[in-house]
Amino acid sequence: MNGRTALVTGATGGLGKAIATAVAREGASVVVVGRSAARAEDAIRDIRAKEPNAVLEPLVCDLSSQASIRSAVDGFLLRHDKLDVLVNAAGVFRKERHVTPDGLELTFATNVMGYFLLTNLLLDALKRGGGADGARTSRIVNIASKYSGGPSTTKIDFDDLQTAKGNYSYLRATPPTMLGRVLLTQEFAERLRGSNVVVNAVHPGLVKHTALLQDVGGPFRWMTNTFGATAEKAADTPVWLATAPETAAVSGKLWAKRKELPTPGMGSDPAARKRLWEECTRLSKIL
Ligand SMILES: NC(=O)c1ccc[n+]([C@@H]2O[C@H](COP(=O)([O-])OP(=O)(O)OC[C@H]3O[C@@H](n4cnc5c(N)ncnc54)[C@H](OP(=O)(O)O)[C@@H]3O)[C@@H](O)[C@H]2O)c1
């Protein structure tokens, strides 16, 4: 990975920081995205304590804010003309409903719109990455989750993307955003077919002792901390997809433990991913 640049969101905590650390160990220079300069600098200090030779730089971006994403990408492009790896690992799980300055529900804004807008704005840089001879691919890795439970894990309610109807609950708001990440992965893969950019999603399983569930607590948090894998272990598949020669040509798939997973529910419906793409395009006024 020497000479390659990776940008990792969520790199200030749990899984994202473990991924950033492992990618830096592989020799890539890593752009550590944090929602504040202090958070990014703290993460850089922690990563450097483990990897003293790591080449790291901070990038401040609040992924729930479209203005912040645009400004962060502008800042990145002032310093870099290409990007080889983008790992979207930032995410939230919130007990209460919050609305962002863009007028979007916070979980959807961060977990779906953040991925959509950041990735779209970095696509040209990714196309310039991956190796000048075109022999290598640039990689996008989206942390998501598999969905196999009740309706909210296998369906997106396009009439209530902002979880505004009825009572808000994190169990209603969050699972559709994980499915949304898989649908966006599939749609990006289709749109990038024939280019030098591949994109895949990862189900990391339960990841213990991260900050993700600190807001919700309770039995779900207990279960995750008891049965989950460490962030370092959960980072294995995302890092493999981001760096390994054998994953250079795979795209549009959902993975866990280096194996492809089926995508039930709306994950097998091309109309659903097109609809989500259209909604994200409309809400970000991007295209
Ligand atoms: N833990 C699990 O069991 C599990 C299971 C399935 C999927 N996942 C997914 O794995 C990913 C990593 O989660 P984790 O468990 O490692 O949780 P975590 O420790 O809470 O990490 C989440 C990261 O996202 C960042 N983030 C959140 N909102 C942001 C915003 N508006 N702008 C910029 N950064 C923001 C956080 O930054 P701060 O440090 O500033 O808060 C943190 O770095 C998430 O996408 C999550 O949905 C986790």
Side-chain angles (χ1 to χ4, degrees):
M1 295 293 286
N2 285 331
R4 310 194 93 188
T5 303
L7 187 149
V8 183
T9 76
T12 55
L15 180 56
K17 186 150 73 178
I19 294 169
T21 306
V23 172
R25 189 179 307 130
E26 296 279 322
S29 91
V30 179
V31 180
V32 173
V33 178
R35 70 172 104 200
S36 72
R39 297 283 302 142
E41 291 296 350
D42 284 352
I44 284 177
R45 195 194 55 232
D46 292 349
I47 296 169
R48 197 158 278 136
K50 290 188 172 160
E51 298 297 328
N53 296 325
V55 181
L56 306 164
E57 66 178 86
L59 182 68
V60 175
C61 181
D62 176 350
L63 287 151
S64 69
S65 156
Q66 297 182 20
S68 178
I69 294 172
R70 290 175 194 279
S71 152
V73 170
D74 287 348
F76 173 83
L77 293 174
L78 280 178
R79 296 193 297 280
H80 300 271
D81 64 345
K82 65 150 181 105
L83 179 63
D84 304 289
V85 171
L86 167 62
V87 179
N88 288 305
V92 290
F93 213 103
R94 284 296 160 88
K95 195 172 179 177
E96 309 283 344
R97 187 173 187 272
H98 299 272
V99 177
T100 70
D102 296 309
L104 302 177
E105 187 278 315
L106 180 70
T107 314
F108 176 78
T110 312
N111 291 5
V112 177
M113 288 301 295
Y115 279 43
F116 174 83
L117 186 57
L118 182 72
T119 305
N120 266 301
L121 296 177
L122 289 170
L123 272 188
D124 286 342
L126 284 158
K127 287 176 184 168
R128 291 192 291 272
D133 59 359
R136 297 186 296 184
T137 50
S138 293
R139 323 278 182 95
I140 303 168
V141 180
N142 292 327
I143 303 304
S145 185
K146 88 177 172 190
Y147 33 96
S148 54
S152 73
T153 70
T154 55
K155 275 190 190 161
I156 291 176
D157 182 353
F158 285 105
D159 296 325
D160 190 21
L161 274 180
Q162 311 303 325
T163 326
K165 295 181 185 166
N167 292 332
Y168 172 91
S169 94
Y170 61 83
L171 290 175
R172 272 186 64 216
T174 316
T177 68
M178 297 296 138
L179 170 58
R181 292 169 173 186
V182 176
L183 297 179
L184 288 181
T185 299
Q186 295 169 337
E187 186 63 19
F188 271 115
E190 185 168 309
R191 287 166 181 263
L192 289 165
R193 195 181 298 151
S195 78
N196 65 328
V197 184
V198 294
V199 48
N200 288 282
V202 176
H203 164 69
L206 299 176
V207 187
K208 64 164 98 173
H209 303 313
T210 73
L212 189 73
L213 303 176
Q214 66 186 359
D215 194 31
V216 295
F220 193 28
R221 187 166 174 211
W222 175 85
M223 185 181 73
T224 302
N225 287 340
T226 305
F227 300 110
T230 62
E232 288 69 26
K233 199 162 183 200
D236 175 72
T237 298
V239 173
W240 174 70
L241 288 164
T243 64
E246 65 268 30
T247 55
V250 291
S251 198
K253 311 280 189 204
L254 174 64
W255 300 84
K257 296 186 179 164
R258 300 194 181 197
K259 295 213 162 37
E260 190 185 332
L261 290 181
T263 57
M266 278 185 170
S268 54
D269 178 4
R273 60 180 147 89
K274 301 235 173 286
R275 176 93 190 261
L276 183 62
W277 185 275
E278 280 162 19
E279 293 291 343
C280 290
T281 301
R282 183 176 62 78
L283 292 167
S284 63
K285 305 176 192 72
I286 191 177
L287 301 171

